[in-house]
PDB file of all heavy atoms in Angstrom:
ATOM      1  N   GLY A   1     -13.711   5.775 -12.217  1.00 93.00           N
ATOM      2  CA  GLY A   1     -14.826   4.877 -12.235  1.00 93.00           C
ATOM      3  C   GLY A   1     -14.761   3.753 -11.250  1.00 93.00           C
ATOM      4  O   GLY A   1     -15.671   2.905 -11.227  1.00 93.00           O
ATOM      5  N   LYS A   2     -13.775   3.774 -10.383  1.00 94.00           N
ATOM      6  CA  LYS A   2     -13.636   2.696  -9.337  1.00 94.00           C
ATOM      7  C   LYS A   2     -13.678   3.270  -7.983  1.00 94.00           C
ATOM      8  O   LYS A   2     -13.392   4.450  -7.780  1.00 94.00           O
ATOM      9  CB  LYS A   2     -12.363   1.914  -9.595  1.00 94.00           C
ATOM     10  CG  LYS A   2     -12.286   1.179 -10.925  1.00 94.00           C
ATOM     11  CD  LYS A   2     -11.017   0.350 -11.020  1.00 94.00           C
ATOM     12  CE  LYS A   2     -10.917  -0.415 -12.331  1.00 94.00           C
ATOM     13  NZ  LYS A   2      -9.678  -1.176 -12.410  1.00 94.00           N
ATOM     14  N   GLU A   3     -13.976   2.465  -6.996  1.00 94.00           N
ATOM     15  CA  GLU A   3     -13.948   2.868  -5.623  1.00 94.00           C
ATOM     16  C   GLU A   3     -12.467   2.886  -5.105  1.00 94.00           C
ATOM     17  O   GLU A   3     -11.578   2.274  -5.724  1.00 94.00           O
ATOM     18  CB  GLU A   3     -14.766   1.927  -4.761  1.00 94.00           C
ATOM     19  CG  GLU A   3     -16.244   1.911  -5.096  1.00 94.00           C
ATOM     20  CD  GLU A   3     -17.039   0.977  -4.159  1.00 94.00           C
ATOM     21  OE1 GLU A   3     -16.397   0.225  -3.387  1.00 94.00           O
ATOM     22  OE2 GLU A   3     -18.246   1.036  -4.226  1.00 94.00           O
ATOM     23  N   ARG A   4     -12.305   3.604  -4.052  1.00 95.00           N
ATOM     24  CA  ARG A   4     -10.956   3.582  -3.476  1.00 95.00           C
ATOM     25  C   ARG A   4     -10.586   2.227  -2.973  1.00 95.00           C
ATOM     26  O   ARG A   4     -11.377   1.502  -2.350  1.00 95.00           O
ATOM     27  CB  ARG A   4     -10.916   4.604  -2.291  1.00 95.00           C
ATOM     28  CG  ARG A   4     -10.912   6.047  -2.753  1.00 95.00           C
ATOM     29  CD  ARG A   4     -10.661   7.012  -1.605  1.00 95.00           C
ATOM     30  NE  ARG A   4     -10.685   8.367  -2.071  1.00 95.00           N
ATOM     31  CZ  ARG A   4     -10.457   9.423  -1.322  1.00 95.00           C
ATOM     32  NH1 ARG A   4     -10.162   9.264  -0.044  1.00 95.00           N
ATOM     33  NH2 ARG A   4     -10.515  10.650  -1.840  1.00 95.00           N
ATOM     34  N   GLU A   5      -9.370   1.858  -3.269  1.00 96.00           N
ATOM     35  CA  GLU A   5      -8.861   0.502  -3.007  1.00 96.00           C
ATOM     36  C   GLU A   5      -7.785   0.583  -1.939  1.00 96.00           C
ATOM     37  O   GLU A   5      -6.835   1.359  -2.046  1.00 96.00           O
ATOM     38  CB  GLU A   5      -8.306  -0.072  -4.317  1.00 96.00           C
ATOM     39  CG  GLU A   5      -7.605  -1.440  -4.145  1.00 96.00           C
ATOM     40  CD  GLU A   5      -6.879  -1.878  -5.387  1.00 96.00           C
ATOM     41  OE1 GLU A   5      -6.739  -1.056  -6.319  1.00 96.00           O
ATOM     42  OE2 GLU A   5      -6.471  -3.058  -5.455  1.00 96.00           O
ATOM     43  N   PHE A   6      -7.916  -0.249  -0.953  1.00 96.00           N
ATOM     44  CA  PHE A   6      -6.877  -0.346   0.110  1.00 96.00           C
ATOM     45  C   PHE A   6      -5.608  -0.963  -0.462  1.00 96.00           C
ATOM     46  O   PHE A   6      -5.660  -1.934  -1.164  1.00 96.00           O
ATOM     47  CB  PHE A   6      -7.359  -1.183   1.277  1.00 96.00           C
ATOM     48  CG  PHE A   6      -6.321  -1.538   2.248  1.00 96.00           C
ATOM     49  CD1 PHE A   6      -5.893  -0.577   3.183  1.00 96.00           C
ATOM     50  CD2 PHE A   6      -5.728  -2.769   2.289  1.00 96.00           C
ATOM     51  CE1 PHE A   6      -4.915  -0.868   4.113  1.00 96.00           C
ATOM     52  CE2 PHE A   6      -4.743  -3.093   3.183  1.00 96.00           C
ATOM     53  CZ  PHE A   6      -4.326  -2.160   4.106  1.00 96.00           C
ATOM     54  N   LEU A   7      -4.490  -0.371  -0.082  1.00 97.00           N
ATOM     55  CA  LEU A   7      -3.195  -0.851  -0.515  1.00 97.00           C
ATOM     56  C   LEU A   7      -2.359  -1.371   0.689  1.00 97.00           C
ATOM     57  O   LEU A   7      -1.829  -2.508   0.622  1.00 97.00           O
ATOM     58  CB  LEU A   7      -2.397   0.225  -1.203  1.00 97.00           C
ATOM     59  CG  LEU A   7      -3.060   0.830  -2.462  1.00 97.00           C
ATOM     60  CD1 LEU A   7      -2.229   2.014  -2.974  1.00 97.00           C
ATOM     61  CD2 LEU A   7      -3.210  -0.229  -3.514  1.00 97.00           C
ATOM     62  N   ALA A   8      -2.190  -0.545   1.680  1.00 96.00           N
ATOM     63  CA  ALA A   8      -1.303  -0.909   2.757  1.00 96.00           C
ATOM     64  C   ALA A   8      -1.586   0.006   3.946  1.00 96.00           C
ATOM     65  O   ALA A   8      -2.074   1.131   3.791  1.00 96.00           O
ATOM     66  CB  ALA A   8       0.176  -0.772   2.373  1.00 96.00           C
ATOM     67  N   ALA A   9      -1.279  -0.474   5.141  1.00 96.00           N
ATOM     68  CA  ALA A   9      -1.448   0.323   6.335  1.00 96.00           C
ATOM     69  C   ALA A   9      -0.342  -0.033   7.325  1.00 96.00           C
ATOM     70  O   ALA A   9       0.214  -1.126   7.300  1.00 96.00           O
ATOM     71  CB  ALA A   9      -2.787   0.104   6.984  1.00 96.00           C
ATOM     72  N   ILE A  10      -0.046   0.922   8.181  1.00 95.00           N
ATOM     73  CA  ILE A  10       1.003   0.757   9.191  1.00 95.00           C
ATOM     74  C   ILE A  10       0.510   1.374  10.484  1.00 95.00           C
ATOM     75  O   ILE A  10      -0.073   2.472  10.482  1.00 95.00           O
ATOM     76  CB  ILE A  10       2.351   1.328   8.736  1.00 95.00           C
ATOM     77  CG1 ILE A  10       3.465   1.001   9.732  1.00 95.00           C
ATOM     78  CG2 ILE A  10       2.260   2.835   8.488  1.00 95.00           C
ATOM     79  CD1 ILE A  10       4.848   1.272   9.148  1.00 95.00           C
ATOM     80  N   SER A  11       0.719   0.705  11.645  1.00 91.00           N
ATOM     81  CA  SER A  11       0.267   1.226  12.907  1.00 91.00           C
ATOM     82  C   SER A  11       1.107   2.417  13.311  1.00 91.00           C
ATOM     83  O   SER A  11       2.181   2.699  12.736  1.00 91.00           O
ATOM     84  CB  SER A  11       0.378   0.132  13.964  1.00 91.00           C
ATOM     85  OG  SER A  11       1.696  -0.279  14.160  1.00 91.00           O
ATOM     86  N   TRP A  12       0.657   3.098  14.348  1.00 86.00           N
ATOM     87  CA  TRP A  12       1.337   4.345  14.742  1.00 86.00           C
ATOM     88  C   TRP A  12       2.769   4.063  15.188  1.00 86.00           C
ATOM     89  O   TRP A  12       3.625   4.945  15.043  1.00 86.00           O
ATOM     90  CB  TRP A  12       0.561   5.070  15.828  1.00 86.00           C
ATOM     91  CG  TRP A  12       0.372   4.302  17.104  1.00 86.00           C
ATOM     92  CD1 TRP A  12      -0.685   3.542  17.485  1.00 86.00           C
ATOM     93  CD2 TRP A  12       1.312   4.299  18.226  1.00 86.00           C
ATOM     94  NE1 TRP A  12      -0.464   3.019  18.751  1.00 86.00           N
ATOM     95  CE2 TRP A  12       0.703   3.492  19.243  1.00 86.00           C
ATOM     96  CE3 TRP A  12       2.536   4.865  18.484  1.00 86.00           C
ATOM     97  CZ2 TRP A  12       1.353   3.204  20.432  1.00 86.00           C
ATOM     98  CZ3 TRP A  12       3.171   4.604  19.675  1.00 86.00           C
ATOM     99  CH2 TRP A  12       2.574   3.825  20.645  1.00 86.00           C
ATOM    100  N   SER A  13       3.011   2.924  15.765  1.00 86.00           N
ATOM    101  CA  SER A  13       4.399   2.544  16.214  1.00 86.00           C
ATOM    102  C   SER A  13       5.214   1.973  15.094  1.00 86.00           C
ATOM    103  O   SER A  13       6.448   1.870  15.240  1.00 86.00           O
ATOM    104  CB  SER A  13       4.340   1.613  17.347  1.00 86.00           C
ATOM    105  OG  SER A  13       3.865   0.348  16.961  1.00 86.00           O
ATOM    106  N   GLY A  14       4.569   1.582  14.013  1.00 88.00           N
ATOM    107  CA  GLY A  14       5.299   0.866  12.948  1.00 88.00           C
ATOM    108  C   GLY A  14       5.466  -0.617  13.200  1.00 88.00           C
ATOM    109  O   GLY A  14       6.064  -1.288  12.363  1.00 88.00           O
ATOM    110  N   SER A  15       4.905  -1.112  14.295  1.00 90.00           N
ATOM    111  CA  SER A  15       5.080  -2.516  14.636  1.00 90.00           C
ATOM    112  C   SER A  15       4.223  -3.459  13.851  1.00 90.00           C
ATOM    113  O   SER A  15       4.489  -4.663  13.787  1.00 90.00           O
ATOM    114  CB  SER A  15       4.867  -2.715  16.147  1.00 90.00           C
ATOM    115  OG  SER A  15       3.539  -2.377  16.506  1.00 90.00           O
ATOM    116  N   SER A  16       3.167  -2.954  13.298  1.00 93.00           N
ATOM    117  CA  SER A  16       2.220  -3.795  12.544  1.00 93.00           C
ATOM    118  C   SER A  16       1.979  -3.193  11.181  1.00 93.00           C
ATOM    119  O   SER A  16       1.841  -1.972  11.028  1.00 93.00           O
ATOM    120  CB  SER A  16       0.872  -3.928  13.282  1.00 93.00           C
ATOM    121  OG  SER A  16       1.049  -4.517  14.535  1.00 93.00           O
ATOM    122  N   THR A  17       1.928  -4.033  10.199  1.00 95.00           N
ATOM    123  CA  THR A  17       1.599  -3.619   8.820  1.00 95.00           C
ATOM    124  C   THR A  17       0.571  -4.586   8.226  1.00 95.00           C
ATOM    125  O   THR A  17       0.447  -5.729   8.670  1.00 95.00           O
ATOM    126  CB  THR A  17       2.830  -3.579   7.924  1.00 95.00           C
ATOM    127  OG1 THR A  17       3.467  -4.869   7.882  1.00 95.00           O
ATOM    128  CG2 THR A  17       3.854  -2.553   8.437  1.00 95.00           C
ATOM    129  N   ARG A  18      -0.099  -4.116   7.245  1.00 95.00           N
ATOM    130  CA  ARG A  18      -1.051  -4.926   6.526  1.00 95.00           C
ATOM    131  C   ARG A  18      -1.035  -4.512   5.049  1.00 95.00           C
ATOM    132  O   ARG A  18      -0.957  -3.320   4.729  1.00 95.00           O
ATOM    133  CB  ARG A  18      -2.465  -4.837   7.087  1.00 95.00           C
ATOM    134  CG  ARG A  18      -3.523  -5.671   6.374  1.00 95.00           C
ATOM    135  CD  ARG A  18      -4.887  -5.522   7.067  1.00 95.00           C
ATOM    136  NE  ARG A  18      -4.871  -6.088   8.416  1.00 95.00           N
ATOM    137  CZ  ARG A  18      -5.949  -6.106   9.202  1.00 95.00           C
ATOM    138  NH1 ARG A  18      -7.105  -5.561   8.776  1.00 95.00           N
ATOM    139  NH2 ARG A  18      -5.880  -6.653  10.396  1.00 95.00           N
ATOM    140  N   TYR A  19      -1.158  -5.475   4.177  1.00 96.00           N
ATOM    141  CA  TYR A  19      -1.130  -5.230   2.739  1.00 96.00           C
ATOM    142  C   TYR A  19      -2.313  -5.913   2.050  1.00 96.00           C
ATOM    143  O   TYR A  19      -2.789  -6.943   2.475  1.00 96.00           O
ATOM    144  CB  TYR A  19       0.156  -5.765   2.132  1.00 96.00           C
ATOM    145  CG  TYR A  19       1.413  -5.107   2.573  1.00 96.00           C
ATOM    146  CD1 TYR A  19       2.130  -5.573   3.702  1.00 96.00           C
ATOM    147  CD2 TYR A  19       1.921  -3.979   1.900  1.00 96.00           C
ATOM    148  CE1 TYR A  19       3.303  -4.946   4.079  1.00 96.00           C
ATOM    149  CE2 TYR A  19       3.090  -3.382   2.323  1.00 96.00           C
ATOM    150  CZ  TYR A  19       3.812  -3.854   3.413  1.00 96.00           C
ATOM    151  OH  TYR A  19       4.948  -3.252   3.805  1.00 96.00           O
ATOM    152  N   ALA A  20      -2.701  -5.257   0.948  1.00 95.00           N
ATOM    153  CA  ALA A  20      -3.641  -5.983   0.112  1.00 95.00           C
ATOM    154  C   ALA A  20      -2.930  -7.178  -0.469  1.00 95.00           C
ATOM    155  O   ALA A  20      -1.715  -7.113  -0.822  1.00 95.00           O
ATOM    156  CB  ALA A  20      -4.095  -5.075  -1.043  1.00 95.00           C
ATOM    157  N   ASP A  21      -3.601  -8.330  -0.549  1.00 91.00           N
ATOM    158  CA  ASP A  21      -2.950  -9.546  -0.941  1.00 91.00           C
ATOM    159  C   ASP A  21      -2.311  -9.461  -2.320  1.00 91.00           C
ATOM    160  O   ASP A  21      -1.229 -10.011  -2.520  1.00 91.00           O
ATOM    161  CB  ASP A  21      -4.006 -10.690  -0.973  1.00 91.00           C
ATOM    162  CG  ASP A  21      -4.444 -11.116   0.410  1.00 91.00           C
ATOM    163  OD1 ASP A  21      -3.731 -10.821   1.401  1.00 91.00           O
ATOM    164  OD2 ASP A  21      -5.494 -11.747   0.522  1.00 91.00           O
ATOM    165  N   SER A  22      -2.922  -8.709  -3.209  1.00 86.00           N
ATOM    166  CA  SER A  22      -2.388  -8.628  -4.575  1.00 86.00           C
ATOM    167  C   SER A  22      -1.097  -7.845  -4.629  1.00 86.00           C
ATOM    168  O   SER A  22      -0.443  -7.877  -5.696  1.00 86.00           O
ATOM    169  CB  SER A  22      -3.462  -8.033  -5.477  1.00 86.00           C
ATOM    170  OG  SER A  22      -3.761  -6.716  -5.054  1.00 86.00           O
ATOM    171  N   LEU A  23      -0.758  -7.091  -3.599  1.00 86.00           N
ATOM    172  CA  LEU A  23       0.410  -6.223  -3.661  1.00 86.00           C
ATOM    173  C   LEU A  23       1.651  -6.748  -2.922  1.00 86.00           C
ATOM    174  O   LEU A  23       2.723  -6.144  -3.063  1.00 86.00           O
ATOM    175  CB  LEU A  23       0.053  -4.843  -3.071  1.00 86.00           C
ATOM    176  CG  LEU A  23      -1.119  -4.111  -3.736  1.00 86.00           C
ATOM    177  CD1 LEU A  23      -1.377  -2.773  -3.066  1.00 86.00           C
ATOM    178  CD2 LEU A  23      -0.811  -3.876  -5.227  1.00 86.00           C
ATOM    179  N   LYS A  24       1.458  -7.778  -2.135  1.00 69.00           N
ATOM    180  CA  LYS A  24       2.571  -8.276  -1.374  1.00 69.00           C
ATOM    181  C   LYS A  24       3.738  -8.658  -2.274  1.00 69.00           C
ATOM    182  O   LYS A  24       3.584  -9.311  -3.280  1.00 69.00           O
ATOM    183  CB  LYS A  24       2.176  -9.474  -0.527  1.00 69.00           C
ATOM    184  CG  LYS A  24       1.241  -9.128   0.605  1.00 69.00           C
ATOM    185  CD  LYS A  24       0.907 -10.339   1.431  1.00 69.00           C
ATOM    186  CE  LYS A  24       0.024  -9.982   2.613  1.00 69.00           C
ATOM    187  NZ  LYS A  24      -0.350 -11.152   3.449  1.00 69.00           N
ATOM    188  N   GLY A  25       4.906  -8.182  -1.871  1.00 87.00           N
ATOM    189  CA  GLY A  25       6.084  -8.480  -2.669  1.00 87.00           C
ATOM    190  C   GLY A  25       6.450  -7.343  -3.623  1.00 87.00           C
ATOM    191  O   GLY A  25       7.553  -7.320  -4.204  1.00 87.00           O
ATOM    192  N   ARG A  26       5.511  -6.438  -3.910  1.00 96.00           N
ATOM    193  CA  ARG A  26       5.759  -5.309  -4.779  1.00 96.00           C
ATOM    194  C   ARG A  26       5.787  -3.978  -4.035  1.00 96.00           C
ATOM    195  O   ARG A  26       6.549  -3.101  -4.383  1.00 96.00           O
ATOM    196  CB  ARG A  26       4.736  -5.235  -5.916  1.00 96.00           C
ATOM    197  CG  ARG A  26       4.823  -6.396  -6.929  1.00 96.00           C
ATOM    198  CD  ARG A  26       4.150  -6.008  -8.236  1.00 96.00           C
ATOM    199  NE  ARG A  26       2.749  -5.666  -8.045  1.00 96.00           N
ATOM    200  CZ  ARG A  26       2.183  -4.536  -8.503  1.00 96.00           C
ATOM    201  NH1 ARG A  26       2.920  -3.646  -9.147  1.00 96.00           N
ATOM    202  NH2 ARG A  26       0.885  -4.294  -8.328  1.00 96.00           N
ATOM    203  N   PHE A  27       4.893  -3.776  -3.088  1.00 97.00           N
ATOM    204  CA  PHE A  27       4.752  -2.539  -2.373  1.00 97.00           C
ATOM    205  C   PHE A  27       5.206  -2.708  -0.945  1.00 97.00           C
ATOM    206  O   PHE A  27       4.908  -3.763  -0.346  1.00 97.00           O
ATOM    207  CB  PHE A  27       3.321  -2.051  -2.374  1.00 97.00           C
ATOM    208  CG  PHE A  27       2.792  -1.516  -3.721  1.00 97.00           C
ATOM    209  CD1 PHE A  27       3.456  -1.799  -4.904  1.00 97.00           C
ATOM    210  CD2 PHE A  27       1.636  -0.771  -3.758  1.00 97.00           C
ATOM    211  CE1 PHE A  27       2.982  -1.345  -6.119  1.00 97.00           C
ATOM    212  CE2 PHE A  27       1.147  -0.293  -4.963  1.00 97.00           C
ATOM    213  CZ  PHE A  27       1.810  -0.592  -6.118  1.00 97.00           C
ATOM    214  N   THR A  28       5.834  -1.694  -0.406  1.00 97.00           N
ATOM    215  CA  THR A  28       6.300  -1.732   1.007  1.00 97.00           C
ATOM    216  C   THR A  28       5.984  -0.409   1.662  1.00 97.00           C
ATOM    217  O   THR A  28       6.279   0.636   1.145  1.00 97.00           O
ATOM    218  CB  THR A  28       7.808  -1.963   1.104  1.00 97.00           C
ATOM    219  OG1 THR A  28       8.144  -3.199   0.393  1.00 97.00           O
ATOM    220  CG2 THR A  28       8.222  -2.092   2.517  1.00 97.00           C
ATOM    221  N   ILE A  29       5.301  -0.483   2.824  1.00 96.00           N
ATOM    222  CA  ILE A  29       4.967   0.675   3.573  1.00 96.00           C
ATOM    223  C   ILE A  29       5.963   0.830   4.735  1.00 96.00           C
ATOM    224  O   ILE A  29       6.352  -0.169   5.349  1.00 96.00           O
ATOM    225  CB  ILE A  29       3.512   0.660   4.097  1.00 96.00           C
ATOM    226  CG1 ILE A  29       3.067   1.981   4.666  1.00 96.00           C
ATOM    227  CG2 ILE A  29       3.292  -0.489   5.085  1.00 96.00           C
ATOM    228  CD1 ILE A  29       1.581   2.097   4.954  1.00 96.00           C
ATOM    229  N   SER A  30       6.285   2.047   5.030  1.00 96.00           N
ATOM    230  CA  SER A  30       7.170   2.323   6.193  1.00 96.00           C
ATOM    231  C   SER A  30       6.847   3.735   6.691  1.00 96.00           C
ATOM    232  O   SER A  30       6.161   4.482   6.053  1.00 96.00           O
ATOM    233  CB  SER A  30       8.638   2.188   5.818  1.00 96.00           C
ATOM    234  OG  SER A  30       9.000   3.138   4.804  1.00 96.00           O
ATOM    235  N   ARG A  31       7.350   4.041   7.885  1.00 92.00           N
ATOM    236  CA  ARG A  31       7.153   5.369   8.417  1.00 92.00           C
ATOM    237  C   ARG A  31       8.347   5.803   9.184  1.00 92.00           C
ATOM    238  O   ARG A  31       9.106   5.027   9.745  1.00 92.00           O
ATOM    239  CB  ARG A  31       5.880   5.471   9.254  1.00 92.00           C
ATOM    240  CG  ARG A  31       5.910   4.711  10.623  1.00 92.00           C
ATOM    241  CD  ARG A  31       4.544   4.673  11.209  1.00 92.00           C
ATOM    242  NE  ARG A  31       4.000   5.979  11.545  1.00 92.00           N
ATOM    243  CZ  ARG A  31       2.709   6.217  11.845  1.00 92.00           C
ATOM    244  NH1 ARG A  31       1.829   5.216  11.839  1.00 92.00           N
ATOM    245  NH2 ARG A  31       2.322   7.481  12.144  1.00 92.00           N
ATOM    246  N   ASP A  32       8.520   7.128   9.246  1.00 90.00           N
ATOM    247  CA  ASP A  32       9.571   7.743  10.030  1.00 90.00           C
ATOM    248  C   ASP A  32       8.882   8.821  10.867  1.00 90.00           C
ATOM    249  O   ASP A  32       8.588   9.888  10.384  1.00 90.00           O
ATOM    250  CB  ASP A  32      10.635   8.382   9.094  1.00 90.00           C
ATOM    251  CG  ASP A  32      11.781   8.998   9.868  1.00 90.00           C
ATOM    252  OD1 ASP A  32      11.673   9.200  11.104  1.00 90.00           O
ATOM    253  OD2 ASP A  32      12.773   9.266   9.223  1.00 90.00           O
ATOM    254  N   ASN A  33       8.647   8.480  12.122  1.00 83.00           N
ATOM    255  CA  ASN A  33       7.899   9.394  12.986  1.00 83.00           C
ATOM    256  C   ASN A  33       8.658  10.644  13.324  1.00 83.00           C
ATOM    257  O   ASN A  33       8.039  11.665  13.606  1.00 83.00           O
ATOM    258  CB  ASN A  33       7.485   8.697  14.282  1.00 83.00           C
ATOM    259  CG  ASN A  33       6.372   7.684  14.061  1.00 83.00           C
ATOM    260  OD1 ASN A  33       5.814   7.562  12.959  1.00 83.00           O
ATOM    261  ND2 ASN A  33       6.051   6.891  15.091  1.00 83.00           N
ATOM    262  N   ASN A  34       9.987  10.599  13.273  1.00 85.00           N
ATOM    263  CA  ASN A  34      10.756  11.779  13.480  1.00 85.00           C
ATOM    264  C   ASN A  34      10.553  12.822  12.373  1.00 85.00           C
ATOM    265  O   ASN A  34      10.730  14.003  12.611  1.00 85.00           O
ATOM    266  CB  ASN A  34      12.270  11.450  13.535  1.00 85.00           C
ATOM    267  CG  ASN A  34      12.587  10.707  14.803  1.00 85.00           C
ATOM    268  OD1 ASN A  34      11.967  10.881  15.852  1.00 85.00           O
ATOM    269  ND2 ASN A  34      13.651   9.900  14.733  1.00 85.00           N
TER     270      ASN A  34
END
């Protein structure tokens, strides 16, 4: 019953991240391009 909610994003290099304000401190995004 709800719309899709943004949680976190990471740039292709991993140098930039962004989080939903309500999730900071609980969720962590990372990537392993290999």
Side-chain angles (χ1 to χ4, degrees):
K2 297 183 179 180
E3 297 182 350
R4 287 189 181 182
E5 175 189 10
F6 169 78
L7 300 174
I10 187 167
S11 64
W12 62 265
S13 69
S15 61
S16 298
T17 59
R18 181 178 292 180
Y19 295 90
D21 290 341
S22 62
L23 301 178
K24 289 183 178 179
R26 293 201 301 128
F27 288 16
T28 304
I29 190 170
S30 62
R31 70 190 296 166
D32 183 346
N33 287 353
N34 290 330

